[in-house]
Amino acid sequence: MSTVLYDGTAVVGRHLQRIRRAPALLILTQTMPVTLLLFFGYVFGSALAMPGEEYRAFLVPGMLVATAANGIMTGMFAAAQDAHRGVMDRFRTLPMSRAAVPLGQAVADVLTTAAGLVPMVLVGLAMGWRIESGPLSALGALGLLLLFRFAATWLGILLGLASRSEEAAGQLGSATFMLPMLSNAYLPTDGMPGWVRALAEWNPISALATAVRDLCGNAPVPESGAWPVTHPVAGSLVWCLVLLVLCVPPAVRRSARG
C-alpha cells in the first residue's frame, strides 16, 4: 500500500506538471464550463417556463455535475496519449506499482477539477444562485462531486487504454459530451416522453444533480421517479461504487500489461 501511495504521488506530480506546461489546454478546460453556464443560463433560461433566476438556481448544480462527468473525456484523452505515445511502455519498465499510474492520473484530475469548480461557483453566485443549506450539506455536495469525478475518470482511463488510437479516443470522448443532455442536469425530466424520462432518470448524472440540488437547498427531492433520483445521495454513492468496481481492476490490468 505504501508503495502505491509513494509511486502514485510521483505520478500525480507528473500530471500536474504536464498541465502546467500546457496552459492553453488548462485555460480551455477551465473556461469552457463557465462559458456554457453563462450560455445556458441567459440564452436557454429565457426560453423556458422557469423564471430566469429560478432556472439559474436549477442550472448551476447541473453544470457542476456536468463538469464532474467530463472526467470521462479528460481521463480518456490522457490515458490514450500515454498508451499510444509509448509512455505506458516506459512506466512498465520501472520498478513501481502498476496501480500507481492510473491512480495518479485520477487523483491529479480530481485536484484540477477541485480548483476549476471555484470560478464556476463564483460565476454561479454572480448569476443569482445561492447555497440555501448549511456548510456541512454544501461540503457533502462538494464531496459527491469530486467522488463522481474520480469514478468517471477511472471509466475514461479504462476506455482510453482500450482505444485503438488517439483519434478514436478523441471521437469517443467528444461523444460523452452528450451524456448530461440526457439527464436532468440542464432541464427537468417532467416534460420528457416516458421512455426518455426513464433513461434520463437512470442516468447517473441525474442522481448526482438531484443530490447536489438537495444538499445545496436549491430543489426538493422528487416524490416519484426512478430510485436513484428519489434517493439521490444514496443513488449517487451507489453509481460511484459501481463505476469504481467495474473500472478500476481492468484499468489497472491494462495499465500493467498493455
Side-chain angles (χ1 to χ4, degrees):
M1 185 64 181
S2 60
T3 302
V4 174
L5 293 177
Y6 180 81
D7 294 340
T9 302
V11 177
V12 169
R14 174 203 175 241
H15 280 281
L16 293 179
Q17 288 287 337
R18 182 181 185 179
I19 293 171
R20 186 177 67 85
R21 292 169 182 170
L25 179 61
L26 179 62
I27 292 172
L28 177 63
T29 56
Q30 298 300 323
T31 58
M32 183 59 72
V34 173
T35 303
L36 289 175
L37 177 60
L38 293 169
F39 179 80
F40 278 94
Y42 288 102
V43 177
F44 279 15
S46 63
L48 298 176
M50 287 184 177
E53 289 188 5
E54 182 182 345
Y55 177 64
R56 289 191 284 275
F58 177 89
L59 173 68
V60 173
M63 286 299 305
L64 294 173
V65 172
T67 300
N70 281 343
I72 302 174
M73 183 168 56
T74 57
M76 198 183 309
F77 286 165
Q81 283 184 344
D82 285 349
H84 296 291
R85 295 184 184 183
V87 177
M88 283 294 184
D89 292 334
R90 289 194 289 272
F91 276 133
R92 294 183 189 110
T93 65
L94 298 176
M96 63 184 298
S97 169
R98 299 301 171 235
V101 177
L103 176 63
Q105 178 186 334
V107 171
D109 189 88
V110 169
L111 293 176
T112 306
T113 300
L117 290 178
V118 174
M120 283 199 67
V121 169
L122 294 177
V123 172
L125 292 172
M127 293 172 64
W129 171 66
R130 294 293 182 268
I131 299 175
E132 306 291 348
S133 61
L136 290 180
S137 295
L139 287 175
L142 175 62
L144 276 180
L145 285 168
L146 296 180
L147 177 61
F148 188 80
R149 177 77 182 206
F150 183 71
T153 302
W154 275 101
L155 174 57
I157 291 171
L158 176 60
L159 294 174
L161 293 175
S163 65
R164 295 184 177 181
S165 66
E166 287 186 50
E167 292 75 15
Q171 292 172 358
L172 181 58
S174 300
T176 63
F177 180 77
M178 298 299 298
L179 291 177
M181 300 290 186
L182 189 60
S183 73
N184 64 7
Y186 304 138
L187 295 170
T189 59
D190 299 343
M192 297 180 181
W195 66 273
V196 178
R197 179 177 179 177
L199 288 176
E201 291 183 346
W202 281 100
N203 185 336
I205 295 173
S206 292
L208 183 60
T210 306
V212 172
R213 291 183 184 113
D214 178 46
L215 291 171
C216 291
N218 300 135
V221 175
E223 295 182 359
S224 62
W227 183 86
V229 295
T230 56
H231 303 80
V233 174
S236 300
L237 292 173
V238 168
W239 277 121
C240 289
L241 180 62
V242 168
L243 287 173
L244 290 171
V245 169
L246 293 179
C247 298
V248 172
V252 171
R253 286 196 297 269
R254 281 190 171 272
S255 177
R257 300 174 185 173

